[in-house]
């Protein structure tokens, strides 16, 4: 019997896209500002999403007094490994970065823009924290250097969202995407595969919805069990099924086939903070995950808008 080589599934890779767009290799410099989250402080809910760590998913943020110093420190860490012409996206990663006064975030973005190595900013937030004046400010900033907004949707299914304590409805995501796109701001949507009781069909329905809404980019990750989260308790009680590497990437494979070529894939799987990561254990060996991805998927040349 002759074994046929497996055809690799293609996707439009963010690194190629950024290189094309900014003319050099681009890395993200993760930073944090003084914000919290409305489903942690009681405005929408308490305790946050069940999988969210105490650091509000910002464990990789650089240290430093202010935005400029954090960017400097993040660049310093990488500088020995990357060419000098490398540029960076300031990634406002932890908690909900638009859950603050418009002027506060505007000042932080302008500070990031003033760093010569910064070619763009990416703002992680929730769709229910994007009032019109915030979007107007982001649109103004987008006229100086590119601004991207990253929305943590995770699923379109309300029952799942209720289980993990998301505290906003999927139609609030839809509305935010429409407004951001009307303001010509690039949108990146985050989805999690492996949420409790979700079938493969449900996960793919979420992907399809994100495509239909016209999100410019997408990030996939598997469900992580982090120490100190509410999810850890459920996992210890045996109530959470962890996806194996093959199960997870089979879903990713199907998901990629639903994406239009112009949708940029910013992440095929996440990178849990090792010091508090309990499961999935296969994600801990980053090199083997990268090798697996390279063996199964192919980056394709990217359309720059
Ligand atoms: S919305 Fe984001 S920051 Fe807030 S609890 Fe959920 S994952 Fe954490």
């Amino acid at each position: 019997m002759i074994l046929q080589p497996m055809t690799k599934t293609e996707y439009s890779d963010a690194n190629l896209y950024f290189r094309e767009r900014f003319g050099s290799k681009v890395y993200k410099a993760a930073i944090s500002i003084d914000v919290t989250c409305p489903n942690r402080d009681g405005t929408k809910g308490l305790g946050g999403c069940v999988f969210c760590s105490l650091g509000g998913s910002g464990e990789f943020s650089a240290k430093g007094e202010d935005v400029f110093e954090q960017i400097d420190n993040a660049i310093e860490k990488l500088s020995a490994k990357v060419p000098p012409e490398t540029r960076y996206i300031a990634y406002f990663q932890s908690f909900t970065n638009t859950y603050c006064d418009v002027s506060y975030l505007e000042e932080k973005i302008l500070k990031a823009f003033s760093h010569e190595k910064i070619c763009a900013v990416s703002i992680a937030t929730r769709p229910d924290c994007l009032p019109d004046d915030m979007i107007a400010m982001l649109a103004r900033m987008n006229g100086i250097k590119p601004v991207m907004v990253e929305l943590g949707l995770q699923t379109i299914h309300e029952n799942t969202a209720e289980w993990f304590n998301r505290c906003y409805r999927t139609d609030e995501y839809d509305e935010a995407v429409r407004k951001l796109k009307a303001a010509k701001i690039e949108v990146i949507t985050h989805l999690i595969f492996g949420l409790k009781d979700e079938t493969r069909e449900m996960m793919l329905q979420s992907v399809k919805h994100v495509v239909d809404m016209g999100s410019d980019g997408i990030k996939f990750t598997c469900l992580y069990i982090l120490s100190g989260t509410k999810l850890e308790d459920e996992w210890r009680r045996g109530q959470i099924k962890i996806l194996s590497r093959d199960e997870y990437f089979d879903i990713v494979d199907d998901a990629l086939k639903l994406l239009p070529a112009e949708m940029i894939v910013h992440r095929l799987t996440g990178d849990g903070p090792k010091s508090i990561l309990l499961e999935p254990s296969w994600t801990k060996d980053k090199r083997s995950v990268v090798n697996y991805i390279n063996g199964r998927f192919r980056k394709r040349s990217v359309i720059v808008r």
Side-chain angles (χ1 to χ4, degrees):
M1 188 175 74
I2 301 169
L3 284 177
Q4 296 295 324
M6 194 169 85
T7 316
K8 292 186 181 184
T9 304
E10 293 196 331
Y11 66 99
S12 297
D13 172 65
N15 290 324
L16 292 176
Y17 167 64
F18 287 140
R19 183 183 281 279
E20 194 75 24
R21 186 168 176 191
F22 297 112
S24 67
K25 176 87 180 149
V26 174
Y27 282 93
K28 273 189 168 173
I31 58 175
S32 58
I33 58 173
D34 194 13
V35 287
T36 175
C37 177
N39 66 348
R40 282 176 171 271
D41 70 3
T43 304
K44 283 291 189 81
L46 281 168
C49 303
V50 294
F51 45 73
C52 187
S53 63
L54 284 176
S57 307
E59 279 70 19
F60 297 107
S61 300
K63 305 280 174 278
E65 280 292 303
D66 66 7
V67 163
F68 204 90
E69 194 180 319
Q70 288 182 53
I71 292 169
D72 265 346
N73 288 341
I75 292 175
E76 172 68 26
K77 258 190 176 173
L78 281 166
S79 58
K81 298 180 223 157
V82 302
E85 67 276 14
T86 300
R87 302 180 76 197
Y88 297 85
I89 294 171
Y91 181 26
F92 291 64
Q93 183 178 25
S94 19
F95 298 110
T96 299
N97 289 283
T98 58
Y99 190 48
C100 56
D101 285 344
V102 171
S103 58
Y104 175 77
L105 181 59
E106 180 172 5
E107 182 210 317
K108 302 295 175 195
I109 293 174
L110 286 171
K111 194 83 182 166
F113 280 169
S114 71
H115 198 292
E116 58 169 2
K117 293 274 185 186
I118 292 296
C119 58
V121 298
S122 203
I123 310 288
T125 191
R126 298 162 50 93
D128 58 345
C129 293
L130 284 164
D132 290 348
D133 56 350
M134 184 64 80
I135 293 181
M137 181 276 287
L138 294 173
R140 264 198 324 277
M141 295 297 103
N142 196 34
I144 303 172
K145 289 184 185 180
V147 173
M148 292 163 248
V149 170
E150 305 202 19
L151 298 175
L153 176 64
Q154 325 306 2
T155 180
I156 59 162
H157 300 285
E158 302 292 359
N159 286 349
T160 314
E162 201 171 309
W163 161 71
F164 76 72
N165 197 37
R166 190 177 68 182
C167 298
Y168 72 79
R169 298 182 317 276
T170 296
D171 62 9
E172 293 177 84
Y173 161 82
D174 298 351
E175 182 65 9
V177 174
R178 276 193 281 271
K179 286 185 174 179
L180 288 165
K181 291 196 64 79
K184 304 210 174 335
I185 295 169
E186 195 168 326
V187 180
I188 299 164
T189 304
H190 297 204
L191 290 179
I192 296 179
F193 293 151
L195 291 166
K196 191 178 179 184
D197 296 335
E198 286 218 340
T199 62
R200 184 190 190 103
E201 285 65 38
M202 290 169 77
M203 298 177 225
L204 296 177
Q205 281 163 4
S206 292
V207 176
K208 180 81 173 42
H209 186 87
V210 170
V211 170
D212 290 345
M213 286 309 303
S215 182
D216 303 281
I218 196 159
K219 276 187 176 179
F220 301 118
T221 191
C222 54
L223 183 65
Y224 287 105
I225 314 291
L226 300 181
S227 170
T229 59
K230 287 190 200 164
L231 189 57
E232 180 188 356
D233 301 336
E234 284 196 58
W235 170 69
R236 291 204 182 277
R237 290 197 297 270
Q239 294 166 344
I240 304 294
K241 178 191 177 323
I242 303 297
L243 293 176
S244 71
R245 186 186 65 176
D246 286 343
E247 284 170 332
Y248 174 72
F249 282 110
D250 283 352
I251 298 163
V252 170
D253 205 318
D254 287 346
L256 292 178
K257 290 173 181 143
L258 297 174
L259 307 187
E262 66 272 17
M263 184 180 269
I264 308 299
V265 179
H266 291 259
R267 188 172 70 193
L268 287 183
T269 183
D271 214 3
K274 269 194 184 154
S275 57
I276 53 169
L277 177 62
L278 300 169
E279 282 285 0
S281 51
W282 58 265
T283 64
K284 293 178 185 170
D285 185 351
K286 205 172 165 186
R287 184 176 291 273
S288 100
V289 173
V290 169
N291 288 340
Y292 181 96
I293 287 174
N294 290 338
R296 181 159 183 178
F297 304 103
R298 180 180 290 117
K299 298 169 186 177
R300 82 178 140 223
S301 54
V302 182
I303 302 156
V304 175
R305 286 160 284 222

